[in-house]
Amino acid sequence: MRHLSVLCAALAAAAVMAATPVRAAGDAKRGADLFADNCGDCHSVKEGGGNRKGPNLFGVIGRKSGTVPGFDYSDANKAKDWIWTPERLEPYLAAPKSVVPGTIMKFKGDPDPKERADIIAFLLTLHK
């Protein structure tokens, strides 16, 4: 019986965490700095800017995966056929190769949930 109550408590905690919006926890200003340090060598965020080693991420939130013109995506990324949302980005930024096996992105992931939330908050600012 004890195992069942522990399991129920764990599931309840997981449900609360899953229902908490990622964007509420993030600091976009800190996220811009983290993005520059960790992502900026490979990704541009300038509206109308070109691609680098990775695709331009201006407007990434709400965009279908694998669709930036002129970027040669991995077959795995093109096949994902999803829309990038904060909820999709959170686990992807934690472990890209686990979420999209076969991705060509070299970034191994950020283990810090606060940093991921900050980066996502910054990405949410990148729209028209």
Side-chain angles (χ1 to χ4, degrees):
M1 191 59 100
R2 174 152 165 63
H3 293 293
L4 184 58
S5 64
V6 171
L7 177 61
C8 288
L11 289 172
V16 168
M17 289 175 60
T20 303
V22 173
R23 68 195 98 205
D27 176 343
K29 182 169 178 4
R30 183 168 180 259
D33 293 337
L34 289 165
F35 184 92
D37 291 345
N38 297 300
C39 315
D41 285 345
C42 296
H43 294 280
S44 169
V45 292
K46 181 179 178 191
E47 182 179 8
N51 298 315
R52 294 183 182 164
K53 292 177 191 175
N56 183 317
L57 295 181
F58 184 87
V60 68
I61 306 289
R63 182 168 68 212
K64 185 177 176 188
S65 64
T67 60
V68 172
F71 187 75
D72 187 21
Y73 288 93
S74 67
D75 290 339
N77 194 287
K78 288 186 279 190
K80 257 321 188 192
D81 193 36
W82 65 18
I83 302 297
W84 287 113
T85 65
E87 294 76 20
R88 289 219 194 260
L89 277 167
E90 207 297 321
Y92 184 77
L93 293 176
K97 292 182 187 304
S98 293
V99 175
V100 182
T103 185
I104 57 176
M105 188 161 84
K106 302 289 187 218
F107 180 66
K108 291 183 180 10
D110 186 337
D112 185 331
K114 175 68 174 127
E115 288 185 2
R116 293 192 307 268
D118 293 343
I119 291 169
I120 292 167
F122 168 66
L123 293 173
L124 281 163
T125 71
L126 303 175
H127 56 83
K128 293 181 184 182

